[in-house]
Amino acid sequence: MRNQQATQLLFEMSRPGRRAHRLPELQGHAATLCESLPAEFKADQPPPLPELAEGDVVRHFTNLSTLNMSVDTHFYPLGSCTMKYNPKRNERLSSLPGLIDVHPLQDARSIQGLLEMMHELQHMLGEISGLRGVSLQPAAGAHGELTALLVAADYFADLGEDRKVVLTADSAHGTNPASAQMAGFSTKTVRSNAEGLVDIADLRAKLNEQTAVFMLTNPNTLGLFDSQIREITDLVHEHGALIYLDGANMNAILGITRPGDFGADLMHFNPHKTFSGPHGGGGPGAGPICVREFLADYLPGPVITRTEDGYELTTPERSIGRVRSFFGNVGILIRAYAYIRTYGPDGLRRVSEDAVLGANYLLSKVKHMLDVPHGDRCMHEFVASASRLKKEKHISAMDIAKRILDFGFHAPTVYFPLVVDEAVMIEPTETESKETLDAFAEALFRVVDETEEAIQQAPLSTAISRPDDVSAARKPILRWTPPQQ
Amino acid sequence: MTGYLFHTDDDRREMLQSIGAESMKQLIDDQVPTDVQLDHLMDLPAAADEIVLDRDFRRMAAKNAGAASHVCFMGAGAYDHFIPAVVDEIASRGEYYTSYTPYQAEVSQGNLQVMFEYETLVSQLTGLDVSNASLYDGGSAATEAVLMALATMKNRTRVVTSGAVHPQYRDVVDAYLKHIDAELVVVPTDHDGTSISIIDAIDDQTACVLIQHPNFYGRLEDMQAITDAAHAAGALVIQAFDPISLGLLKRPGDYGVDIAVAEGQCLGNPLSFGGPYLGMIACTSQLVRRMPGRIAGQTTDRRGNRCWVLTLQTREQHIRREKATSNICSNQTLLALRATVYLSLLGPQGLKETATHCVARTQQARERIVQSDRFELVHSGPVFKEFLVRDRENDVESLMRSATEKGILAGVPMEQFDPDMNDCFLVALTEKRTDDEIEAWMESLESATIAQTVRQAF
């Protein structure tokens, strides 16, 4: 009973002369000023946007929303994405007047309450990371990576050291090497060993006086905490290089261990993962970074400082400048602040413990259906492999992902990290009940038991099934165009 | 324990048993070396339940002025435009705001269709072939466009821009270019507040020209002359535009611009102290494979149904890693959704009306400045919704402060962007402003003068 009419494209629903939003007519003197722009700047007519009534718009977007899975409606065991519950109180609190309607260039004196909150968040992130220099400016995790690498680049330039190489792990997020490239570095990849941890011999071989930064994810994308972490960070520091921690997996270690304590010099947080900022269909997120004190002078400005007269916005002395306009993704940062306040220090630790518990519980069930190459212990997520299933039954990781949708679960992450063949990456988070995890495991059990013929038709219950990605990329149609008359 | 956890003590016991772990402590100790474990509680405020948090938030929020408590005449890249109720209503649906990036197309057709509609609207708005599904904000969108141009023009390393382009956008470009082989050349603004002399700075080493129209001071640029000159020199043209202005003004595509970028906050997104915002970017079809960020495209499914997917992902960082066009991964889908709903509600006539009101209100405010003794317009030529005012008394800071006390955010002091302009402030008027508010604004500026005269008399 899908409403086909309402889910046509806006442009197909458009009727000339329909209107929704109207402005009051200008009166008196103002009305005489409408034509004050010279003709040479003006278009002959306004852009050809669709013309709709308000009811059209509401029904259209409401119906479209029902075609999405979401955290509010489904379990998302998406490895690397930390799809935890998005607290409703955070939505209300971040929308209060005095927060949602503040202009970014207002005088600091007129926004002391907001600055107090963000200053406290700076402190919180410094405490959770163990790294005291904090910038809230970057807009996303990858943006934080780039920002931190620009900090490192300036730091080494000031030292007069010519270090132009960034090392990344082969299990790293693809953003790591891409960020390094953008900051003017070349990259080399450090191999993982058979256990899925950093291959120390390979790291040693690739470290030299040209190395600027080793970008590390810990726990790594296999969900493993690298037990050699002290050895790794000491080794990198001995060569005069810095350790960058990709904070995508911080949900595993809140209050348990701190990047600053195990040797990281710079890191980013993903508040939209760790601190429950809603993903919004792919954004907005945020990517605040934390650095050691000796790097704090390089952070982008403005940062919030506290003085006797109240809170001020200042730019650090040797700042790399700006990486975006204005202050940062404040709306997401406010939600992160509310989240940290909700749990407190012991609560945050419990969050990570439950995340680790849930992942290990699911691992203990999944290992009977799929191979889990890196052992039967993990932190907040684990990576199974459909490799054997593919050889034996021609069922791939993608087939599993598509079929699980029919059982009312979002798919796990597949084909990442690249170090595992036919990877199926599962992260339950702490906000899923044991019953949900049991139901998911049961569904997975039924999926891997199916025949090749059945599974390759999947999904069967969704609005569409197996879109043709190849022709989408080969002959891109990236916008609607009016049908040829 | 406040928060959102599920497991009861019984659950935890059963789960540990199933795992074969003795205790939670053992599960952690088996994996995290004890010498890097934290042996004390973090120094964070104690847990707060919802009532406490609500009280605290309201206390902190009440300490801030904003566009709800005050009348806002501030702009400089962030504007107090009206947001219709439908925008908030749709964007607050959990199916939108709690969903993930639409990698699984079968369960994300809602978001993917919205992205496709957004891309189409941006194309219609700009007159360019292709838009992506959004970037972080205006400043980083301008910067990504510059990087696109540099990647396209491999043998050219100069980026030419004007002093009339948003200073923060230029700062971002500057920070991004510092460690790569490219230079940013900033041509000073002409006396009339435009950038026509930028033409003299374009040479055969210029990869692109970054121009803003309407510019940072609200002035209108001779886009055709600048675009033609850049193209004659073989350079690309990037225009930072104001989406609302396109209800009246010629579109970037009409001038032959190659890449258009904008801050999309004005399209139904709240001020929110500068973020999250909406970076818009559109380009000609020749450049599409250099476009950063995600793009939704149309295709068909197994059963022949029309549907939407994320496409051209081979450009992206997770496939190409160090060879990627850009490292951009997450975008601003929810803000793009808001812009899509907003533009659907306005349509061509609504956008034209909104732009027209901005022009009329801005003109009205300028006339009031002309009539005053203390203030003068810095530029006399046409503007869209923003203009620069000089305070002959050179006391902008206290002027703004006293206006704030009277409930008016009267403008943006210019000193933070240009020390030579410490006697100037930038004023913006949206369609929300009324006759009465403009009078009150003028009065708040004039009464500061009166108060000062009184002070001087004693």
Side-chain angles (χ1 to χ4, degrees), chain A residues 33-94:
Chain A
L33 302 171
C34 287
E35 297 299 318
S36 59
L37 286 185
E40 77 240 36
F41 295 108
K42 290 185 7 194
D44 298 337
Q45 55 210 11
L49 304 175
E51 297 176 75
L52 304 149
E54 185 164 325
D56 278 335
V57 175
V58 171
R59 192 171 286 167
H60 174 75
F61 288 104
T62 305
N63 272 289
L64 281 187
S65 79
T66 64
L67 304 179
N68 290 338
M69 274 190 180
S70 67
V71 175
D72 277 2
T73 54
H74 294 82
F75 171 40
Y76 266 89
L78 263 174
S80 229
C81 302
T82 313
M83 297 298 286
K84 60 172 69 179
Y85 167 69
N86 306 127
K88 303 307 153 197
R89 72 190 64 164
N90 298 359
E91 296 307 302
R92 179 199 277 177
L93 296 172
S94 58

Side-chain angles (χ1 to χ4, degrees), chain A residues 297-320:
Chain A
D297 260 355
Y298 294 93
L299 290 171
V303 295
I304 302 166
T305 46
R306 191 175 185 167
T307 68
E308 283 173 15
D309 305 331
Y311 298 94
E312 286 180 0
L313 290 159
T314 58
T315 297
E317 204 168 331
R318 314 190 64 79
S319 176
I320 60 162

Side-chain angles (χ1 to χ4, degrees), chain B residues 124-141:
Chain B
Q124 292 174 334
L125 202 57
T126 57
L128 286 163
D129 303 324
V130 203
S131 159
N132 78 357
S134 72
L135 294 170
Y136 304 139
D137 73 316
S140 55

